Amino acid sequence: MNILVAGATGYLGRYLVNTLLADGQQVRVLVRDASKLTGAGPYHSPKIDPNSVDVFEGDLTKPASLEGVCSGIDVVISAAGLTRNSYGHSFHDVDYLGNKHLLEEAERAGVQKFTYIHVLHGEQTDAGILKAKIKFCEELKQSSLPSVIIRPTGYYSDLTNVLDLAASGWMFLVGDGQARMNPIHGKDLAAFTVHHALHSTGMFDVGGPRVYTYDEIALLALRVHGKKERVMHLPAQPILVIAWLLKYVQPHKADLIKFFVLSMLTDGIGERFGDEDLETFFHQYAQSEESGEWT
Ligand SMILES: NC(=O)c1ccc[n+]([C@@H]2O[C@H](COP(=O)([O-])OP(=O)(O)OC[C@H]3O[C@@H](n4cnc5c(N)ncnc54)[C@H](OP(=O)(O)O)[C@@H]3O)[C@@H](O)[C@H]2O)c1
């Protein structure tokens, strides 16, 4: 099949492309900057050989740049969205409007299916990132195209924030640390997503193979760095007030803080899937930070 991957230069997108290629699919990638493909990706996600894919340069916030991107495509998979950086845009601009522009192109080109990477339990909080994603999912469900919506828990890549904090020997968590989640590796999530993109329609909640409390993840991160197992629990309310104040100067950062705080207070457990181990990932990541090499 001919598959378009949007967000191919990102953490998940790179695993998606490599999983599709290994499965024998023809892949087109929608990227803003093709030169990024050949370098290592965020959190040691894999490189992409530009000769193995059809490269289309475009920007989701510029609909004219997307013209023709879905021509000849059977299935679209969008892992495109704002995460760590805003690039001067809001979640509404990219996660909602940007993906809507891509959906309109997909409808015009008559693709068979549109697959979108959402967030697990997104409806439980009102952070801007979630509002934008929920709004796009509503558009997708109302569109003329069959759809797949994947709602993953947190990625291993995101938990490197906890690991980085643990390196200092201090660990702070918001709330009592008892909320549970099963984080997932990009490679496992890509396998799950590709399977459903090719064979199903509907909405699927997914996480990694093991369920942890936030306390357990924090203790694991401290152990990996050989630090004393000491976790301090902070009340959520003052941090939410700080995020509320911050939104007037740094709205993107403020919104992410709100999202992470609220996530730490709520269970987020999807279907247990995959076999990549969090402890192994933490050790690899910590060693690579010291040596500069990924083994
Ligand atoms: N990280 C998590 O824990 C987590 C959990 C659940 C769901 N998700 C969702 O999963 C998706 C993938 O996450 P990730 O961690 O792989 O994100 P990521 O590494 O930040 O990748 C995001 C991708 O979107 C692309 N993108 C951003 N703005 C764009 C634009 N205007 N036009 C075209 N492409 C654009 C980026 O391109 P550039 O390389 O050019 O910037 C990049 O390829 C996101 O939608 C995220 O919200 C993430």
Side-chain angles (χ1 to χ4, degrees):
M1 288 185 118
N2 292 304
I3 320 280
L4 173 73
V5 178
T9 49
Y11 171 74
L12 176 60
R14 288 165 182 268
Y15 286 107
L16 284 169
V17 170
N18 283 294
T19 304
L20 286 162
L21 291 173
D23 195 45
Q25 310 297 334
Q26 301 291 316
V27 180
R28 181 177 298 159
V29 294
L30 168 62
V31 293
R32 291 191 290 190
D33 175 0
S35 70
K36 276 189 171 184
L37 292 169
T38 46
Y43 307 99
H44 306 282
S45 50
K47 298 175 190 175
I48 294 173
D49 175 2
N51 298 316
S52 65
V53 292
D54 175 14
V55 179
F56 188 106
E57 281 194 320
D59 186 322
L60 290 175
T61 62
K62 297 176 183 148
S65 74
L66 302 178
E67 237 168 77
V69 67
C70 292
S71 133
I73 290 295
D74 301 307
V75 175
V76 173
I77 305 179
S78 178
L82 291 183
T83 56
R84 301 162 287 280
N85 301 313
S86 72
Y87 306 103
H89 293 295
S90 66
F91 290 113
H92 179 86
D93 294 339
V94 178
D95 292 76
Y96 169 59
L97 263 185
N99 277 299
K100 185 168 179 274
H101 295 146
L102 182 58
L103 176 60
E104 285 161 0
E105 271 297 313
E107 282 181 307
R108 261 194 293 278
V111 312
Q112 293 168 24
K113 203 190 289 181
F114 194 111
T115 299
Y116 177 63
I117 308 296
H118 186 21
V119 177
L120 183 64
H121 293 167
E123 72 284 0
Q124 287 182 359
T125 75
D126 66 349
I129 180 172
L130 297 171
K131 284 184 190 161
K133 284 179 170 293
I134 290 165
K135 204 165 169 194
F136 176 69
C137 287
E138 282 163 8
E139 294 279 351
L140 183 54
K141 284 181 198 159
Q142 281 165 22
S143 82
S144 58
L145 298 183
S147 64
V148 176
I149 296 175
I150 305 288
R151 301 199 309 177
T153 58
Y155 302 168
Y156 284 5
S157 55
D158 259 13
L159 294 179
T160 56
N161 289 326
V162 178
L163 193 60
D164 291 342
L165 188 57
S168 71
W170 290 96
M171 180 57 69
F172 303 97
L173 288 181
V174 180
D176 64 6
Q178 294 308 301
R180 297 173 310 141
M181 58 120 59
N182 56 332
I184 187 163
H185 193 288
K187 189 175 168 195
D188 286 336
L189 179 55
F192 184 89
T193 302
V194 166
H195 172 79
H196 287 289
L198 298 181
H199 303 293
S200 323
T201 52
M203 185 148 81
F204 302 92
D205 292 354
V206 64
R210 183 166 163 195
V211 177
Y212 299 85
T213 63
Y214 278 94
D215 265 354
E216 286 169 340
I217 293 172
L219 292 173
L220 176 61
L222 287 164
R223 274 202 305 279
V224 164
H225 281 297
K227 303 289 183 186
K228 230 162 105 182
E229 297 189 359
R230 180 175 47 188
V231 180
M232 291 167 73
H233 296 103
L234 306 175
Q237 211 50 40
I239 300 172
L240 289 172
V241 171
I242 292 169
W244 185 79
L245 293 171
L246 190 64
K247 81 177 176 190
Y248 294 103
V249 270
Q250 293 199 41
H252 187 77
K253 197 166 268 177
D255 202 63
L256 284 179
I257 292 173
K258 190 173 177 187
F259 172 58
F260 286 121
V261 167
L262 295 172
S263 302
M264 271 193 223
L265 303 175
T266 326
D267 282 351
I269 301 171
E271 177 188 329
R272 292 186 195 194
F273 184 83
D275 47 25
E276 293 289 326
D277 175 52
L278 180 62
E279 186 165 355
T280 307
F281 174 82
F282 270 3
H283 277 293
Q284 282 176 318
Y285 191 83
Q287 277 161 15
S288 74
E289 291 293 279
E290 276 174 26
S291 65
E293 282 175 21
W294 184 254
T295 50

